[in-house]
Amino acid sequence: MSRRKPDIYERQKQIRNQEYWQSHPLREKYPEVTGLVIKMSFKDYDERSNPKPRQVEFSQESKAFFKIDCPYRECVSGGFDFSSAIDELVTSHLDKLDGTITCQGWQDKERIGKHRCFLELSYTIFAKYKNDS
Ligand SMILES: [Zn+2]
């Protein structure tokens, strides 16, 4: 028996883990930031039910890895990347930033190239800085 090849979901998890471990801590990437919070809610325009709202918090010791998996386990190459939003937030020294991101993944592995996920995520990111009281 040959060893089973990792499937597409295991592969994307491995890549994600690798990126996570290669990321620097928040205090190195944004030394002036003491904490970040991303609040997310989801809206699905397909027949699927909306995933529950989520919140992710980052401390100075957290990895500055701002990609969040799509809540749909079947979704291929999906997810939400907050890297540029957080960059904008911190560079402009804002306390919060709102926006939406649409998942560009494929709905499941049978529908690669055919049907995108298009789950819509609305977010508010809150930042705390060193000089804040
Ligand atoms: Zn998705």
Side-chain angles (χ1 to χ4, degrees):
M1 284 259 291
S2 63
R3 263 185 70 199
R4 197 175 62 93
K5 263 171 59 183
D7 75 4
I8 195 158
Y9 298 111
E10 287 168 55
R11 269 210 316 278
Q12 67 181 17
K13 201 173 163 189
Q14 280 166 4
I15 294 167
R16 189 188 179 286
N17 283 347
Q18 203 175 0
E19 277 186 58
Y20 174 85
W21 287 111
Q22 284 167 351
S23 302
H24 293 284
L26 187 69
R27 65 180 153 74
E28 280 178 31
K29 189 163 169 69
Y30 299 122
E32 69 275 36
V33 176
T34 56
L36 289 170
V37 176
I38 308 177
K39 286 189 177 178
M40 301 169 253
S41 59
F42 301 95
K43 175 107 186 71
D44 192 73
Y45 292 98
D46 239 311
E47 286 113 57
R48 303 172 294 184
S49 59
N50 295 334
K52 285 200 173 67
R54 278 189 67 188
Q55 177 170 323
V56 188
E57 293 177 32
F58 299 87
S59 72
Q60 285 181 294
E61 301 309 313
S62 305
K63 294 274 192 187
F65 178 75
F66 306 122
K67 289 183 185 171
I68 306 288
D69 284 343
C70 180
Y72 291 128
R73 284 170 182 276
E74 310 277 271
C75 182
V76 179
S77 309
F80 305 93
D81 190 353
F82 292 94
S83 309
S84 55
I86 288 173
D87 212 57
E88 187 192 331
L89 174 84
V90 175
T91 342
S92 319
H93 209 86
L94 301 169
D95 292 330
K96 64 175 202 152
L97 184 71
D98 301 305
T100 54
I101 309 177
T102 303
C103 180
Q104 298 296 322
W106 300 105
Q107 207 163 51
D108 57 50
K109 64 178 176 186
E110 275 74 44
R111 283 187 268 192
I112 293 173
K114 294 180 196 138
H115 201 298
R116 289 205 184 265
C117 172
F118 286 151
L119 176 65
E120 189 184 283
L121 179 153
S122 301
Y123 64 82
T124 308
I125 309 169
F126 300 89
K128 282 207 167 117
Y129 301 91
K130 266 187 181 148
N131 299 327
D132 293 355
S133 49

